[in-house]
């Protein structure tokens, strides 16, 4: 079956190997090797429950490819490989949608940042991506998923999940819900600030977790998982990247004692990121940078919680409590960030001064 899909893209090639690959939570990903070719490929079954308009994400990919190639490309993105008859995606007889991209040669992902250089490289790479996209018009890049990082929308989804209590898990997570409810007010300020137009809408990545970045040796070389690229604000990318890059443990670590917000990684990432984006920042845009990691960790935390309450219908899970384990890690990270809030503000200020000098 997978071989038939490959034929749509490479009719004359013979498959040498095709294996499930990576740790994505949304699409189904395979690494593909063809006989007689050094170049390898990534074949993905697109999750069309999540991405309702796959053609538009393919168009975004092609627009980005063109734009970044014209921007002295420091960081790569994978090439979208069309089908043999020239379509950017293949839809099979069952209606499943498939995408082929080039495998970034000799690359690997990191799940947990263990060294300062990894965080610095990640900051520079995502910062470069933001800067390179800053000349694009956000109006040409609608969100792939509406209100993807809108806090009030995500809170609404959580409230619905609580009200329906579809699979009877509510009683077991009342304390976790209370933890998130206590913090709603403070974080809502950021959304109001955005709605008042105080900070610009840009073209951003919208899913900058650390395993959406590829390393080769000690260099970050490619930004991947471009499905969510579209309108958003820099806080989304800076915050979501730190949620994972400055977590001392895995996103689903069961031993919460191992989960801390890693200030060394935070500092290195911040220097790398702000060093890149400083020239494009507008007057008010720096105001809430320090809250961005907490905002994004909160948003993803309540999305895991809502999915747990809904019976695990959105994220891929490996066992029954997987989503709640992920959620508890986000809560622990938020507590740890709160302890470091003043230091985070100072480090951001210092990084901004450093690059301004
Ligand atoms: P998902 O949306 O499910 O997260 P991704 O596009 O992030 O899917 O792909 C899942 C994983 O596959 C990535 O974390 C990475 O390990 C690997 N991967 C994806 N695209 C490439 C690529 N072009 N080159 C090398 N590895 C890739
Ligand atoms: C999903 O696709 P992936 O695994 O890189 C999700 C992100 C979440 C992340 C949490 C389209 O990212 O928003 O932050 O899981 N992507 C989508 O790990 O929902
Ligand atoms: Mg991914």
């Amino acid at each position: 079956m997978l071989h038939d899909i490959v034929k749509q893209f490479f009719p004359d090639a013979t498959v040498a190997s095709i294996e499930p690959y990576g740790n994505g939570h949304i699409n189904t990903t395979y690494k593909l090797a063809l006989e007689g070719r050094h170049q390898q490929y990534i074949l993905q079954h697109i999750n069309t429950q999540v991405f309702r308009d796959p053609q538009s994400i393919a168009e975004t990919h092609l627009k980005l490819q063109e734009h970044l190639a014209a921007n002295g490309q420091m960081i790569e993105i994978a090439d979208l490989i069309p089908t043999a008859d020239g379509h950017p995606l293949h839809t099979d007889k069952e209606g499943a949608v498939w995408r082929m991209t080039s495998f970034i040669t000799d690359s690997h992902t990191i799940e947990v940042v263990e060294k300062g250089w990894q965080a610095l490289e990640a900051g520079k790479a995502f910062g470069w991506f933001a800067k390179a996209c800053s000349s694009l018009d956000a109006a040409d890049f609608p969100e792939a998923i509406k209100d993807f990082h809108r806090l009030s929308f995500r809170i609404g989804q959580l409230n619905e999940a609580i009200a329906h209590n579809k699979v009877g898990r509510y009683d077991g997570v009342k304390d976790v819900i209370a933890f998130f409810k206590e913090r709603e007010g403070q974080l809502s300020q950021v959304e109001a600030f955005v709605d008042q137009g105080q900070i610009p809408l840009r073209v951003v990545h919208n899913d900058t977790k650390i395993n959406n970045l590829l390393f080769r040796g000690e260099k970050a070389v490619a930004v991947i998982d471009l499905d969510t690229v579209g309108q958003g604000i820099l806080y989304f990318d800076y915050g979501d990247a730190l949620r994972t890059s400055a977590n001392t443990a895995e996103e689903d670590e069961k031993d919460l004692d191992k989960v801390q917000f890693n200030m060394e990684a935070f500092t290195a990432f911040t220097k790398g990121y702000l060093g890149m984006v400083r020239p494009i920042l507008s007057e008010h845009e720096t105001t809430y940078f320090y809250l961005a990691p907490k905002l994004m960790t909160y948003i993803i935390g309540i999305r895991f919680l809502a999915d747990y309450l809904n019976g695990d219908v959105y994220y891929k899970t490996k066992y029954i409590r997987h989503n709640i384990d992920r959620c508890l890690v986000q809560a622990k990270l938020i507590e740890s960030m709160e302890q470091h809030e003043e230091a985070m503000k100072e480090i951001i200020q210092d990084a901004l001064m450093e690059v301004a000098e």
Side-chain angles (χ1 to χ4, degrees):
M1 147 69 180
L2 283 173
H3 288 229
D4 293 341
I5 306 297
V6 174
K7 282 260 171 277
Q8 302 300 319
F9 294 89
F10 303 112
D12 304 323
T14 307
V15 172
S17 64
I18 185 157
E19 307 288 343
Y21 193 73
N23 286 318
H25 294 344
I26 304 294
N27 298 311
T28 306
T29 302
Y30 302 90
K31 182 177 182 182
L32 166 70
L34 299 175
E35 272 179 17
R37 286 200 205 187
H38 177 65
Q39 173 70 59
Q40 295 176 312
Y41 300 92
I42 286 283
L43 175 65
Q44 287 180 308
H45 172 213
I46 310 279
N47 182 336
T48 47
Q49 292 288 87
V50 169
F51 297 108
R52 302 253 168 201
D53 185 0
Q55 294 302 328
S56 87
I57 59 175
E59 278 163 31
T60 297
H61 192 135
L62 291 171
K63 279 197 264 180
L64 275 178
Q65 234 170 267
E66 198 179 315
H67 178 74
L68 297 182
N71 267 270
Q73 201 158 348
M74 175 183 118
I75 297 291
E76 297 171 55
I77 62 171
D79 288 333
L80 188 69
I81 315 274
T83 62
D85 52 8
H87 296 291
L89 300 169
H90 169 64
T91 305
D92 69 19
K93 288 188 215 92
E94 277 85 46
V97 179
W98 298 85
R99 166 177 59 203
M100 188 74 74
T101 53
S102 54
F103 185 92
I104 303 290
T105 309
D106 296 332
S107 69
H108 64 274
T109 45
I110 293 175
E111 296 292 330
V112 178
V113 163
E114 282 163 350
K115 304 269 184 340
W117 66 261
Q118 295 169 329
L120 179 65
E121 279 294 304
K124 283 189 195 164
F126 283 129
W128 178 86
F129 185 86
K131 194 165 94 181
C133 289
S134 67
S135 53
L136 292 167
D137 186 350
D140 296 338
F141 289 81
E143 285 179 303
I145 300 170
K146 193 171 167 343
D147 294 331
F148 194 52
H149 293 317
R150 178 172 279 277
L151 177 64
S152 54
F153 171 67
R154 296 303 183 182
I155 290 173
Q157 285 188 322
L158 174 62
N159 290 340
E160 248 176 67
I162 294 170
H164 291 118
N165 190 21
K166 274 193 197 137
V167 288
R169 292 177 176 174
Y170 171 73
D171 282 342
V173 294
K174 275 186 189 157
D175 293 353
V176 192
I177 294 170
F179 175 92
F180 284 99
K181 289 283 166 200
E182 272 167 32
R183 286 156 175 86
E184 260 180 38
Q186 182 199 21
L187 293 169
S188 301
Q189 290 168 31
V190 183
E191 186 171 318
F193 194 61
V194 175
D195 286 347
Q196 288 153 14
Q198 306 267 29
I199 52 176
L201 268 187
R202 301 175 176 281
V203 175
V204 299
H205 185 286
N206 278 320
D207 191 359
T208 50
K209 71 178 181 185
I210 191 69
N211 71 12
N212 287 330
L213 185 66
L214 296 177
F215 286 79
R216 184 181 300 128
E218 297 201 348
K219 284 261 162 257
V221 291
V223 169
I224 55 164
D225 204 346
L226 306 172
D227 299 337
T228 50
V229 169
Q231 272 175 29
I233 59 172
L234 290 184
Y235 298 173
F236 297 162
D237 285 3
Y238 174 74
D240 198 11
L242 282 161
R243 176 184 75 82
T244 47
S245 308
N247 180 357
T248 49
E250 302 268 353
E251 188 183 56
D252 55 0
E253 175 60 56
K254 289 192 179 71
D255 179 357
L256 293 178
D257 288 341
K258 292 188 182 157
V259 178
Q260 293 292 334
F261 191 63
N262 177 345
M263 289 299 283
E264 194 197 326
F266 170 78
T267 308
F269 183 96
T270 297
K271 280 190 180 161
Y273 189 85
L274 293 182
M276 284 287 170
V277 303
R278 182 71 183 88
I280 63 163
L281 291 179
S282 67
E283 195 190 337
H284 298 297
E285 213 165 10
T286 54
T287 313
Y288 285 122
F289 252 104
Y290 77 95
L291 264 187
K294 184 169 163 184
L295 173 70
M296 294 310 294
T297 308
Y298 185 99
I299 287 176
I300 313 293
I302 63 174
R303 286 175 62 198
F304 287 141
L305 181 55
D307 199 33
Y308 179 72
L309 286 165
N310 289 334
D312 311 316
V313 291
Y314 185 91
Y315 294 108
K316 285 182 195 285
T317 50
K318 294 194 174 133
Y319 57 94
I320 285 175
R321 287 184 55 83
H322 206 166
N323 268 320
I324 199 67
D325 283 346
R326 290 164 173 159
C327 170
L328 291 172
V329 168
Q330 308 312 302
K332 179 70 196 293
L333 273 176
I334 288 173
E335 273 179 348
S336 181
M337 287 172 194
E338 285 171 348
Q339 285 158 11
H340 294 296
E341 196 164 290
E342 287 311 310
M344 285 163 77
K345 280 185 195 165
E346 275 171 32
I347 289 162
I348 289 170
Q349 278 317 314
D350 289 352
L352 287 170
M353 300 288 277
E354 225 171 84
V355 269
E357 277 159 14

